[in-house]
Amino acid sequence: MGETGLTSGDFTERDEPFRLFGEWLADATAHEPNDPNAVALATVDEDGLPNVRMVLLKGFDAAGFVFYTNFESAKGREILGQRKAAMCFHWKSLRRQVRLRGPVEIVADSEADAYFASRPRGSRIGAWASKQSRPLEGRFALERAVAEYTARHAIGEIPRPPYWSGFRIVPETIEFWHDRPFRLHDRMVFSRGDGGGWNKTRLFP
Ligand SMILES: Cc1cc2nc3c(=O)[nH]c(=O)nc-3n(C[C@H](O)[C@H](O)[C@H](O)COP(=O)(O)O)c2cc1C
């Protein structure tokens, strides 16, 4: 786990897009002013209307791309309803983009527990105090909730809230985009093949 608190796996030859993503993320970690793991997460609601917001990538390996959130938030409900999502990374300092999309799994309880336990105490209290995406009558109501949960968990471990966990996007496609002069950008898309390997295609920019 580095400064982003992000975990990643070891990759074999079959995992080329994940390995390449790891290299680009390492470059971004070296060059971006902050949050190299920040990513736009797109979901769809029950009417098919898209929705997008930023999250922090907290793990990736050949199984997929993991982030954590409140499952009762708008994104949580949208993913639990549709079971699919997309992500788009943009690293301005590198002029690079990575897009991926696919079905979504819920991470194992043990994995979510381990990540939750690694978070600062204040963030763990915050996960209990924030009814994410629901109306808040004023800042004071949030501060009161934080004080309440701080008192309730004054001693001992803070358990993971039952509504807070991680989602893993299992990409069917991953596209890498790199800025080139005169807008003749490099685009390479990896699509999952039948045998579990990846097909690689260059696209017009
Ligand atoms: C850089 C950045 C990182 C964020 N990371 C997360 C995250 O990892 N998980 C999360 O639930 N919200 C995160 N947020 C807040 C979300 O963008 C969003 O405001 C919140 O999750 C509610 O979204 P929703 O109503 O669509 O569910 C982040 C915001 C920013 C700007």
Side-chain angles (χ1 to χ4, degrees):
M1 242 188 243
E3 73 183 52
T4 52
L6 197 144
T7 53
S8 69
D10 294 327
F11 301 114
T12 64
E13 199 57 26
R14 282 164 72 91
D15 306 322
E16 189 181 352
F18 298 99
R19 212 183 47 234
L20 182 57
F21 177 83
E23 288 168 14
W24 281 28
L25 183 63
D27 289 345
T29 303
H31 289 96
E32 288 290 299
N34 57 49
D35 293 341
N37 55 333
V39 57
L41 168 78
T43 52
V44 234
D45 72 11
E46 58 189 4
D47 299 321
L49 189 65
N51 209 351
V52 65
R53 82 292 284 158
M54 301 302 292
V55 294
L56 294 176
L57 183 75
K58 285 295 169 184
F60 77 95
D61 58 19
F65 291 75
V66 173
F67 67 94
Y68 288 88
T69 195
N70 183 319
F71 278 27
E72 294 172 359
S73 66
K75 78 180 95 42
R77 284 181 277 116
E78 286 160 4
I79 291 177
L80 291 172
Q82 306 298 324
R83 290 298 178 126
K84 50 190 161 192
M87 281 180 160
C88 181
F89 295 85
H90 177 220
W91 295 298
K92 287 174 81 73
S93 65
L94 301 172
R95 299 175 190 275
R96 286 177 181 173
Q97 168 180 260
V98 175
R99 301 161 68 185
L100 58 101
R101 61 208 295 245
V104 180
E105 296 173 348
I106 297 172
V107 308
D109 281 347
S110 55
E111 191 178 343
D113 286 341
Y115 172 65
F116 189 75
S118 77
R119 302 179 87 211
R121 195 171 180 86
S123 305
R124 283 178 278 158
I125 296 279
W128 280 100
S130 174
K131 308 291 172 232
Q132 195 176 54
S133 311
R134 272 160 289 175
L136 172 66
E137 61 265 35
R139 189 78 203 172
F140 179 69
L142 177 60
E143 282 163 13
R144 196 177 50 211
V146 169
E148 209 175 292
Y149 283 105
T150 304
R152 206 181 289 187
H153 296 293
I155 312 166
E157 281 310 302
I158 302 171
R160 178 171 58 88
Y163 51 79
W164 192 100
S165 187
F167 287 119
R168 172 177 284 108
I169 303 185
V170 182
E172 282 173 350
T173 57
I174 309 181
E175 185 197 310
F176 294 82
W177 181 103
H178 191 185
D179 177 80
R180 297 291 289 260
F182 309 114
R183 310 247 164 230
L184 298 176
H185 315 299
D186 273 340
R187 286 182 72 186
M188 179 71 78
V189 59
F190 293 83
S191 316
R192 237 179 244 282
D194 291 338
W198 292 88
N199 301 320
K200 200 156 76 166
T201 315
R202 249 178 223 291
L203 300 179
F204 277 99

PDB file of all heavy atoms in Angstrom, residues 102-120:
ATOM      1  N   GLY A 102     -17.756  -2.283 -17.230  1.00  0.00           N
ATOM      2  CA  GLY A 102     -18.104  -3.688 -17.098  1.00  0.00           C
ATOM      3  C   GLY A 102     -19.051  -3.923 -15.944  1.00  0.00           C
ATOM      4  O   GLY A 102     -19.509  -2.983 -15.277  1.00  0.00           O
ATOM      5  N   PRO A 103     -19.343  -5.199 -15.684  1.00  0.00           N
ATOM      6  CA  PRO A 103     -20.202  -5.548 -14.561  1.00  0.00           C
ATOM      7  C   PRO A 103     -19.501  -5.280 -13.227  1.00  0.00           C
ATOM      8  O   PRO A 103     -18.281  -5.152 -13.185  1.00  0.00           O
ATOM      9  CB  PRO A 103     -20.457  -7.044 -14.751  1.00  0.00           C
ATOM     10  CG  PRO A 103     -19.368  -7.531 -15.632  1.00  0.00           C
ATOM     11  CD  PRO A 103     -18.902  -6.362 -16.446  1.00  0.00           C
ATOM     12  N   VAL A 104     -20.294  -5.188 -12.170  1.00  0.00           N
ATOM     13  CA  VAL A 104     -19.760  -4.840 -10.850  1.00  0.00           C
ATOM     14  C   VAL A 104     -20.060  -5.948  -9.845  1.00  0.00           C
ATOM     15  O   VAL A 104     -21.173  -6.475  -9.811  1.00  0.00           O
ATOM     16  CB  VAL A 104     -20.390  -3.515 -10.348  1.00  0.00           C
ATOM     17  CG1 VAL A 104     -19.849  -3.144  -8.969  1.00  0.00           C
ATOM     18  CG2 VAL A 104     -20.123  -2.388 -11.339  1.00  0.00           C
ATOM     19  N   GLU A 105     -19.040  -6.258  -9.043  1.00  0.00           N
ATOM     20  CA  GLU A 105     -19.209  -7.215  -7.935  1.00  0.00           C
ATOM     21  C   GLU A 105     -19.064  -6.469  -6.615  1.00  0.00           C
ATOM     22  O   GLU A 105     -18.422  -5.413  -6.568  1.00  0.00           O
ATOM     23  CB  GLU A 105     -18.087  -8.268  -7.971  1.00  0.00           C
ATOM     24  CG  GLU A 105     -18.089  -9.140  -9.202  1.00  0.00           C
ATOM     25  CD  GLU A 105     -16.859 -10.039  -9.278  1.00  0.00           C
ATOM     26  OE1 GLU A 105     -15.903  -9.818  -8.499  1.00  0.00           O
ATOM     27  OE2 GLU A 105     -16.859 -10.930 -10.138  1.00  0.00           O
ATOM     28  N   ILE A 106     -19.584  -7.059  -5.552  1.00  0.00           N
ATOM     29  CA  ILE A 106     -19.374  -6.507  -4.209  1.00  0.00           C
ATOM     30  C   ILE A 106     -18.143  -7.189  -3.633  1.00  0.00           C
ATOM     31  O   ILE A 106     -18.002  -8.413  -3.759  1.00  0.00           O
ATOM     32  CB  ILE A 106     -20.611  -6.778  -3.320  1.00  0.00           C
ATOM     33  CG1 ILE A 106     -21.827  -6.056  -3.910  1.00  0.00           C
ATOM     34  CG2 ILE A 106     -20.362  -6.358  -1.870  1.00  0.00           C
ATOM     35  CD1 ILE A 106     -23.143  -6.411  -3.234  1.00  0.00           C
ATOM     36  N   VAL A 107     -17.235  -6.437  -3.025  1.00  0.00           N
ATOM     37  CA  VAL A 107     -16.021  -7.077  -2.503  1.00  0.00           C
ATOM     38  C   VAL A 107     -16.381  -7.961  -1.297  1.00  0.00           C
ATOM     39  O   VAL A 107     -17.405  -7.755  -0.646  1.00  0.00           O
ATOM     40  CB  VAL A 107     -14.915  -6.053  -2.109  1.00  0.00           C
ATOM     41  CG1 VAL A 107     -14.605  -5.087  -3.232  1.00  0.00           C
ATOM     42  CG2 VAL A 107     -15.265  -5.310  -0.840  1.00  0.00           C
ATOM     43  N   ALA A 108     -15.532  -8.927  -1.023  1.00  0.00           N
ATOM     44  CA  ALA A 108     -15.778  -9.845   0.110  1.00  0.00           C
ATOM     45  C   ALA A 108     -15.770  -9.041   1.409  1.00  0.00           C
ATOM     46  O   ALA A 108     -15.049  -8.043   1.535  1.00  0.00           O
ATOM     47  CB  ALA A 108     -14.677 -10.904   0.148  1.00  0.00           C
ATOM     48  N   ASP A 109     -16.573  -9.490   2.393  1.00  0.00           N
ATOM     49  CA  ASP A 109     -16.628  -8.794   3.695  1.00  0.00           C
ATOM     50  C   ASP A 109     -15.239  -8.682   4.304  1.00  0.00           C
ATOM     51  O   ASP A 109     -14.885  -7.647   4.875  1.00  0.00           O
ATOM     52  CB  ASP A 109     -17.552  -9.551   4.660  1.00  0.00           C
ATOM     53  CG  ASP A 109     -19.021  -9.268   4.367  1.00  0.00           C
ATOM     54  OD1 ASP A 109     -19.302  -8.308   3.604  1.00  0.00           O
ATOM     55  OD2 ASP A 109     -19.867 -10.007   4.888  1.00  0.00           O
ATOM     56  N   SER A 110     -14.437  -9.742   4.177  1.00  0.00           N
ATOM     57  CA  SER A 110     -13.101  -9.727   4.788  1.00  0.00           C
ATOM     58  C   SER A 110     -12.227  -8.639   4.155  1.00  0.00           C
ATOM     59  O   SER A 110     -11.471  -7.949   4.841  1.00  0.00           O
ATOM     60  CB  SER A 110     -12.437 -11.100   4.628  1.00  0.00           C
ATOM     61  OG  SER A 110     -12.425 -11.450   3.261  1.00  0.00           O
ATOM     62  N   GLU A 111     -12.379  -8.458   2.832  1.00  0.00           N
ATOM     63  CA  GLU A 111     -11.598  -7.426   2.123  1.00  0.00           C
ATOM     64  C   GLU A 111     -12.047  -6.025   2.565  1.00  0.00           C
ATOM     65  O   GLU A 111     -11.216  -5.150   2.833  1.00  0.00           O
ATOM     66  CB  GLU A 111     -11.815  -7.615   0.610  1.00  0.00           C
ATOM     67  CG  GLU A 111     -10.890  -6.812  -0.268  1.00  0.00           C
ATOM     68  CD  GLU A 111     -11.125  -7.094  -1.777  1.00  0.00           C
ATOM     69  OE1 GLU A 111     -11.765  -8.116  -2.112  1.00  0.00           O
ATOM     70  OE2 GLU A 111     -10.662  -6.279  -2.587  1.00  0.00           O
ATOM     71  N   ALA A 112     -13.367  -5.836   2.649  1.00  0.00           N
ATOM     72  CA  ALA A 112     -13.899  -4.531   3.072  1.00  0.00           C
ATOM     73  C   ALA A 112     -13.515  -4.243   4.525  1.00  0.00           C
ATOM     74  O   ALA A 112     -13.138  -3.113   4.870  1.00  0.00           O
ATOM     75  CB  ALA A 112     -15.415  -4.504   2.908  1.00  0.00           C
ATOM     76  N   ASP A 113     -13.576  -5.275   5.386  1.00  0.00           N
ATOM     77  CA  ASP A 113     -13.199  -5.091   6.801  1.00  0.00           C
ATOM     78  C   ASP A 113     -11.742  -4.654   6.903  1.00  0.00           C
ATOM     79  O   ASP A 113     -11.409  -3.749   7.673  1.00  0.00           O
ATOM     80  CB  ASP A 113     -13.376  -6.402   7.589  1.00  0.00           C
ATOM     81  CG  ASP A 113     -14.843  -6.720   7.842  1.00  0.00           C
ATOM     82  OD1 ASP A 113     -15.679  -5.801   7.740  1.00  0.00           O
ATOM     83  OD2 ASP A 113     -15.145  -7.895   8.131  1.00  0.00           O
ATOM     84  N   ALA A 114     -10.873  -5.315   6.127  1.00  0.00           N
ATOM     85  CA  ALA A 114      -9.438  -5.001   6.193  1.00  0.00           C
ATOM     86  C   ALA A 114      -9.195  -3.569   5.734  1.00  0.00           C
ATOM     87  O   ALA A 114      -8.433  -2.819   6.367  1.00  0.00           O
ATOM     88  CB  ALA A 114      -8.641  -5.983   5.335  1.00  0.00           C
ATOM     89  N   TYR A 115      -9.864  -3.157   4.647  1.00  0.00           N
ATOM     90  CA  TYR A 115      -9.654  -1.785   4.187  1.00  0.00           C
ATOM     91  C   TYR A 115     -10.233  -0.780   5.194  1.00  0.00           C
ATOM     92  O   TYR A 115      -9.587   0.218   5.534  1.00  0.00           O
ATOM     93  CB  TYR A 115     -10.260  -1.559   2.790  1.00  0.00           C
ATOM     94  CG  TYR A 115     -10.193  -0.101   2.441  1.00  0.00           C
ATOM     95  CD1 TYR A 115      -8.947   0.518   2.277  1.00  0.00           C
ATOM     96  CD2 TYR A 115     -11.335   0.697   2.375  1.00  0.00           C
ATOM     97  CE1 TYR A 115      -8.847   1.880   2.042  1.00  0.00           C
ATOM     98  CE2 TYR A 115     -11.240   2.054   2.141  1.00  0.00           C
ATOM     99  CZ  TYR A 115      -9.998   2.636   1.978  1.00  0.00           C
ATOM    100  OH  TYR A 115      -9.907   3.984   1.766  1.00  0.00           O
ATOM    101  N   PHE A 116     -11.447  -1.075   5.717  1.00  0.00           N
ATOM    102  CA  PHE A 116     -12.064  -0.143   6.671  1.00  0.00           C
ATOM    103  C   PHE A 116     -11.162   0.044   7.888  1.00  0.00           C
ATOM    104  O   PHE A 116     -10.960   1.173   8.356  1.00  0.00           O
ATOM    105  CB  PHE A 116     -13.438  -0.668   7.097  1.00  0.00           C
ATOM    106  CG  PHE A 116     -14.233   0.335   7.895  1.00  0.00           C
ATOM    107  CD1 PHE A 116     -14.827   1.418   7.258  1.00  0.00           C
ATOM    108  CD2 PHE A 116     -14.374   0.222   9.269  1.00  0.00           C
ATOM    109  CE1 PHE A 116     -15.556   2.369   7.985  1.00  0.00           C
ATOM    110  CE2 PHE A 116     -15.090   1.158   9.997  1.00  0.00           C
ATOM    111  CZ  PHE A 116     -15.685   2.235   9.348  1.00  0.00           C
ATOM    112  N   ALA A 117     -10.590  -1.062   8.363  1.00  0.00           N
ATOM    113  CA  ALA A 117      -9.723  -1.005   9.558  1.00  0.00           C
ATOM    114  C   ALA A 117      -8.457  -0.186   9.292  1.00  0.00           C
ATOM    115  O   ALA A 117      -7.855   0.353  10.228  1.00  0.00           O
ATOM    116  CB  ALA A 117      -9.361  -2.424   9.993  1.00  0.00           C
ATOM    117  N   SER A 118      -8.059  -0.067   7.994  1.00  0.00           N
ATOM    118  CA  SER A 118      -6.831   0.674   7.665  1.00  0.00           C
ATOM    119  C   SER A 118      -7.079   2.183   7.593  1.00  0.00           C
ATOM    120  O   SER A 118      -6.143   2.966   7.497  1.00  0.00           O
ATOM    121  CB  SER A 118      -6.277   0.200   6.307  1.00  0.00           C
ATOM    122  OG  SER A 118      -7.034   0.771   5.237  1.00  0.00           O
ATOM    123  N   ARG A 119      -8.355   2.600   7.621  1.00  0.00           N
ATOM    124  CA  ARG A 119      -8.664   4.024   7.470  1.00  0.00           C
ATOM    125  C   ARG A 119      -8.429   4.769   8.788  1.00  0.00           C
ATOM    126  O   ARG A 119      -8.565   4.175   9.871  1.00  0.00           O
ATOM    127  CB  ARG A 119     -10.124   4.211   7.057  1.00  0.00           C
ATOM    128  CG  ARG A 119     -10.493   3.499   5.776  1.00  0.00           C
ATOM    129  CD  ARG A 119     -11.936   3.715   5.454  1.00  0.00           C
ATOM    130  NE  ARG A 119     -12.125   4.925   4.686  1.00  0.00           N
ATOM    131  CZ  ARG A 119     -13.214   5.695   4.738  1.00  0.00           C
ATOM    132  NH1 ARG A 119     -14.191   5.394   5.556  1.00  0.00           N
ATOM    133  NH2 ARG A 119     -13.311   6.770   3.982  1.00  0.00           N
ATOM    134  N   PRO A 120      -8.136   6.064   8.710  1.00  0.00           N
ATOM    135  CA  PRO A 120      -7.985   6.833   9.944  1.00  0.00           C
ATOM    136  C   PRO A 120      -9.277   6.788  10.772  1.00  0.00           C
ATOM    137  O   PRO A 120     -10.377   6.654  10.196  1.00  0.00           O
ATOM    138  CB  PRO A 120      -7.724   8.263   9.448  1.00  0.00           C
ATOM    139  CG  PRO A 120      -7.305   8.131   8.026  1.00  0.00           C
ATOM    140  CD  PRO A 120      -7.933   6.873   7.503  1.00  0.00           C
TER     141      PRO A 120
END
